[in-house]
Amino acid sequence: YQRRVHGESWLVSRMRAVLADLRARVAAASAGLPNADRVRIVAVGKTKPVPLLMECYNEGMRHFGENYVNELMGKCHQMPPDVQWHFIGHLQSNKVRDVLSVPNLSVLETVDTPKLASRLETVCSEFGRKLRVFVQVNTSGEDSKSGVEPTSCPALVQHIVGSCPHLEFCGLMTIGAVTDPTNPFCFSRLVECRRAVCDVLRREPGTVELSMGMSGDFETAVRMGSTNVRVGSTIFGAREYAPKS
């Protein structure tokens, strides 16, 4: 914070430049596509402190994502109330009540089982609130990834739409393959899943969002139709973890 460039802190100057570059890259990737005006950047603050997130907020960012419930709960009351939080990590049923206590939780992107959907419905009903949700799809087939199998995706969406009135189904989410991040087959599979879901729901594809793309592959994802990219290290730098004891 002490280093200054033309009267402002180096951190502020860097954040402004990073976000300007990120927005320009997203705009270039989506130019001429149907999703050109719809791509949302979610700043993923996993392991990053609130003051750094606030620098991002001060440069106009309003959508922030967190992977862990405890981290989200610790940050949400320290950030302004107009922040729109995205929960993007694996959610255990015993943490549902905690995550739903976040008043400005905008969307939960990782619904992957009917059991979790039903639990969210029960607690949302108790709390008297609605919740926007994405269904997470395991498009890579990697055992390390959460997410419903692509072939089971339409049935899970039908369960949400038909049996969970407090949940608003908004779209599908996936994580690209760790083993081959340059190969967009995971994104192609998510596009196929959306087509299958829309056939079942009799909805236009443009009404179902696609959350795909992170720091290493968001431009490819945007070119393939993503409307929601989850960007962490490109904005905040590499994640910082406490050393293991």
Side-chain angles (χ1 to χ4, degrees):
Y1 278 94
Q2 299 305 314
R3 182 177 172 187
R4 308 194 71 79
V5 179
H6 301 301
E8 66 180 15
S9 75
W10 172 83
L11 181 60
V12 171
S13 179
R14 176 197 173 277
M15 182 64 72
R16 182 171 299 147
V18 164
L19 290 179
D21 179 68
L22 174 60
R23 288 163 176 152
R25 290 168 65 185
V26 168
S30 63
L33 300 176
N35 61 331
D37 298 326
R38 301 179 59 209
V39 182
R40 177 189 309 109
I41 299 172
V42 179
V44 179
K46 180 179 177 182
T47 77
K48 298 301 180 179
V50 168
L52 187 56
L53 271 62
M54 280 303 304
E55 294 293 348
C56 189
Y57 174 91
N58 290 337
E59 294 302 323
M61 191 66 70
R62 292 297 180 268
H63 291 268
F64 288 82
E66 290 294 339
N67 292 69
Y68 300 118
V69 174
N70 290 346
E71 193 168 357
L72 171 59
M73 293 179 68
K75 291 176 177 177
C76 69
H77 298 297
Q78 301 179 63
M79 296 282 286
D82 63 335
V83 167
Q84 299 188 53
W85 292 102
H86 293 234
F87 186 75
I88 59 174
H90 178 66
L91 182 63
Q92 297 176 320
S93 292
N94 64 350
K95 292 286 188 177
V96 164
R97 192 172 294 274
D98 290 336
V99 78
L100 289 178
S101 70
V102 176
N104 47 339
L105 178 66
S106 176
V107 58
L108 195 150
E109 297 197 21
T110 52
V111 177
D112 59 357
T113 65
K115 178 182 176 182
L116 177 58
S118 296
R119 176 62 179 158
L120 288 164
E121 168 62 25
T122 297
V123 180
C124 280
S125 179
E126 290 179 15
F127 285 5
R129 67 168 294 173
K130 298 274 190 176
L131 178 66
R132 299 171 65 247
V133 299
F134 286 16
V135 165
Q136 182 176 358
V137 185
N138 185 345
T139 54
S140 68
E142 294 168 293
D143 292 337
S144 60
K145 298 276 181 65
S146 299
V148 65
E149 292 295 319
T151 54
S152 301
C153 179
L156 175 53
V157 173
Q158 280 185 301
H159 173 74
I160 293 169
V161 172
S163 302
C164 303
H166 290 84
L167 305 185
E168 178 188 354
F169 169 69
C170 295
L172 305 176
M173 179 269 225
T174 199
I175 300 171
V178 174
T179 54
D180 192 1
T182 62
N183 189 333
F185 75 92
C186 291
F187 302 153
S188 297
R189 286 182 180 173
L190 198 68
V191 173
E192 293 170 5
C193 285
R194 178 172 66 176
R195 189 176 301 116
V197 165
C198 288
D199 286 345
V200 169
L201 297 183
R202 297 183 180 180
R203 286 171 58 170
E204 291 296 321
T207 67
V208 176
E209 288 203 50
L210 296 178
S211 176
M212 57 188 194
M214 299 189 293
S215 288
D217 55 15
F218 70 86
E219 287 163 302
T220 299
V222 168
R223 285 192 288 268
M224 297 184 70
S226 178
T227 57
N228 191 82
V229 293
R230 310 176 306 274
V231 182
S233 59
T234 294
I235 298 174
F236 299 114
R239 289 171 178 166
E240 300 167 1
Y241 296 95
K244 294 181 179 180
S245 56

